[in-house]
Amino acid sequence: MALGLRCFRLVHPAFCNSLAAWTRPVSEVVLKTVNGRQTDHGQYVAYAAIPTRHFATKKAKAKGKGQSQTRVNLNTALVEDIISLEEVEEEMKSVMEALKDNFNKTVNIRTSPGSLDHITVVTADGKLALNQIGEISMKSPQLILVNMASFPECTAAAIKAIRESGMNLNPEVEGTLIRVPIPKVTREHREMLAKLAKQNTNKAKDSLRKVRTNAMNKLKKSKDKTSEDTIRLIEKQISQMADDTVAELDKHLAVKTKELLG
C-alpha cells in the first residue's frame, strides 16, 4: 500500500504536466521538477511541446468580413500632372445631379407642364427639347396642352416622343394642338413610377461606369513615366470615388421609391 502511494505521487505530477504540454508552442520544451522522494539529486522530466493549430470561428470571420477597407485620400495637386482627379469627381457629381433633375421632372406623382420640358423630340434639324418647338401649358389639373403651331411639321414626332417618354402618357392630337391627359394617381401608376426611377438610376450607373472607364484609360497612358505604386493608388482613389457615387445613387433611389410607394 505504501509503495503504491509512493508511485502515484511520482506519476501524478508527470501526468498533469503532459496534459499542459499539449497547448504549448512548438518551439518550447518543458522542463519540470517531479516532486517526490529524492536522495542526492532532483528528478526532472522533459516533455516535447505538441504543435496546436487554432481555427477562426464563424463569429470571428464575420467580424473580419464586415470591417471596411482602408480609404485612399490623395492630394489631387500632387497627381495633377498624371490625371485631374477634380475633373473626374466633377463628372461623377454631374451624373448624380442629372439623376436628381430627372427624378424632379419625370418621376413625380403629380405630372406638371415642366415635366414635359425635357422630352427630346427627333426632328429633321436634330434632337430638340419639346419646349423649344411647342408651347406647353396647363389647361386643367387633369390636362396639359402642347401647341405646335410654330412647328406643325414636328407634331407627329412630338406625339411619339411624349408617348415613349416612360411617363405613362397617352397624348391626343387636334390639328397642331396636342392634348395630354394626366393619369390618375393609382397604385399601378405609383409602381410604374418606381420602376421608372430604378431604370433611370441604372442608366445613371452606366454613365458613371463610363466616367470611371475613361479615367482608368487615361491613367494607363501614364504607366511608362509613373511608378506602379502611384498608379495603383490613383486607381484605388478613382474606384473609391465611383463606389461613393453609386452609394449616393442608391440612397437617392431608396428615398424616391419610399416617396412614391409610401
Side-chain angles (χ1 to χ4, degrees):
M1 183 69 178
L3 180 62
L5 289 174
R6 189 179 301 111
C7 292
F8 178 75
R9 289 173 184 172
L10 292 174
V11 172
H12 176 66
F15 177 72
C16 294
N17 290 335
S18 66
L19 289 178
W22 284 82
T23 59
R24 302 249 167 79
V26 67
S27 60
E28 184 180 347
V29 176
V30 183
L31 192 64
K32 294 290 183 180
T33 302
V34 179
N35 294 323
R37 185 175 179 180
Q38 301 180 7
T39 54
D40 56 343
H41 61 274
Q43 298 178 16
Y44 297 91
V45 179
Y47 302 97
I50 305 298
T52 305
R53 182 174 181 180
H54 299 280
F55 294 92
T57 62
K58 291 183 178 180
K59 184 176 181 181
K61 290 181 179 180
K63 183 177 179 181
K65 186 177 181 180
Q67 294 177 348
S68 59
Q69 296 181 352
T70 304
R71 291 179 63 85
V72 177
N73 189 16
L74 295 177
N75 187 332
T76 57
L78 296 178
V79 297
E80 191 173 3
D81 57 332
I82 303 174
I83 188 172
S84 176
L85 291 177
E86 291 182 351
E87 289 183 4
V88 176
E89 185 178 14
E90 286 300 319
E91 290 181 17
M92 292 184 178
K93 285 183 178 179
S94 67
V95 173
M96 183 71 244
E97 294 303 319
L99 181 67
K100 290 181 179 180
D101 186 60
N102 180 276
F103 279 2
N104 291 333
K105 290 181 176 179
T106 66
V107 191
N108 285 312
I109 297 176
R110 298 291 179 183
T111 306
S112 63
S115 302
L116 276 62
D117 290 346
H118 78 288
I119 295 178
T120 302
V121 182
V122 180
T123 69
D125 298 325
K127 296 181 179 180
L128 299 173
L130 182 60
N131 62 354
Q132 291 181 302
I133 58 177
E135 183 181 346
I136 306 173
S137 61
M138 194 76 152
K139 176 68 174 178
S140 69
Q142 291 78 35
L143 183 65
I144 296 176
L145 298 179
V146 182
N147 192 334
M148 300 294 297
S150 299
F151 295 88
E153 69 279 7
C154 299
T155 302
I159 294 173
K160 183 175 183 294
I162 294 171
R163 186 174 289 117
E164 296 177 356
S165 64
M167 298 172 64
N168 194 31
L169 301 175
N170 295 302
E172 304 167 355
V173 63
E174 295 179 3
T176 58
L177 187 65
I178 302 175
R179 300 165 62 87
V180 185
I182 298 175
K184 294 181 180 180
V185 182
T186 62
R187 182 67 184 179
E188 290 74 15
H189 181 56
R190 289 173 179 269
E191 291 176 352
M192 184 276 299
L193 290 176
K195 183 178 180 180
L196 178 62
K198 186 173 183 179
Q199 291 174 350
N200 291 342
T201 302
N202 289 336
K203 289 180 181 179
K205 289 181 180 180
D206 289 339
S207 299
L208 180 64
R209 198 172 294 112
K210 290 179 182 179
V211 173
R212 180 186 180 280
T213 300
N214 291 338
M216 291 297 189
N217 290 337
K218 185 176 181 179
L219 187 60
K220 288 179 181 179
K221 297 179 181 179
S222 303
K223 283 191 173 182
D224 295 337
K225 54 183 180 180
T226 308
S227 68
E228 292 183 4
D229 290 340
T230 301
I231 292 294
R232 280 196 294 269
L233 283 174
I234 298 176
E235 287 177 343
K236 188 172 181 179
Q237 177 81 51
I238 294 172
S239 297
Q240 180 178 286
M241 291 161 59
D243 292 342
D244 291 345
T245 306
V246 169
E248 285 295 319
L249 293 173
D250 289 336
K251 181 179 178 180
H252 201 63
L253 173 62
V255 172
K256 175 57 70 172
T257 302
K258 184 177 180 180
E259 174 190 322
L260 294 171
L261 301 179

